[in-house]
Amino acid sequence: MALVELRNVSKIYRLGEEEIRALDDVTLDIEEGEFISIIGPSGSGKSTLMHILGCLDSPSKGTIQLDGVKIERASSRELATIRNRKIGFVFQFFNLLPKLNVVQNVELPMIYSGVSAKERRQRALAALQLVDLANRAKHRPSQLSGGQQQRAAIARALVNNPRIVFADEPTGNLDSHTGDAILQLFRRLSQEGRTIVLVTHDPEIAAVTPRRIEIRDGKIAVKEDLTLAGMQQPAHPVTDSLSAQP
């Protein structure tokens, strides 16, 4: 069984009498440990697909299963728990709280999981160590570079040891050199066995992933496995440096 299974998923919006299919009969599997990209221009449906994969939205039709749970049948409370414990999100604009320091920002997902203060701090520092940012733990976001803020956001996404991480245009607010460093970090995390999905409009970013899913007009236009062209496949999962989720 795949980690994520979509079957004939559509997302339909209605504007008056007009029907807009943001997603149109999409079927897709994501295996545990994969590093894939979802690519497409603005309006193609890639962000809608990420929102459905990430349990931020529900399909109008079809089924989605994440780690054995049928998402379309889950209650709002169940979906919130799934997002907190099984999914990590990284966004273009970092979304760090300016009044909190870095380690406090990383601790936030664990507060909603009921983790004790001592364990929160230990796991947050371990996550920052994982992204080479432990020496900035007490800094505020305003004291960090863009790349450092994004690494802090990645640590926050990893701290609950999620089954899958979605990164939506994670280099879009960074210069090319810093963006390359963030992509290398995702590659390393993938090689350690993390399941990572990059959402992007940039073919150069998509090219770093072993598998690419291209979306056009709400449909999957291309499924390309670049490992067939000789790219190295991600390593098998290894023991996490973070403790298991509560």
Side-chain angles (χ1 to χ4, degrees), residues 37-94:
S37 56
I38 297 174
I39 183 172
S42 177
S44 62
K46 66 182 187 300
S47 293
T48 302
L49 177 57
M50 189 203 75
H51 289 163
I52 289 177
L53 288 169
C55 302
L56 296 170
D57 201 356
S58 300
S60 303
K61 297 179 180 179
T63 63
I64 174 171
Q65 187 163 286
L66 172 61
D67 196 22
V69 177
K70 294 185 181 298
I71 299 303
E72 72 278 3
R73 298 180 184 176
S75 66
S76 297
R77 178 172 292 185
E78 289 170 333
L79 289 175
T81 300
I82 290 169
R83 286 193 297 269
N84 180 256
R85 298 190 178 185
K86 293 180 182 280
I87 301 171
F89 294 99
V90 180
F91 298 102
Q92 178 177 348
F93 294 102
F94 320 136

Side-chain angles (χ1 to χ4, degrees), residues 192-211:
E192 294 171 356
R194 308 278 179 173
T195 305
I196 297 176
V197 179
L198 292 180
V199 180
T200 183
H201 68 279
D202 189 337
E204 292 186 5
I205 293 174
V208 308
T209 66
R211 184 176 172 215

Side-chain angles (χ1 to χ4, degrees), residues 131-145:
V131 300
D132 303 318
L133 204 63
N135 62 339
R136 297 289 189 270
K138 296 299 180 66
H139 288 61
R140 296 286 181 89
S142 61
Q143 297 174 298
L144 303 182
S145 68

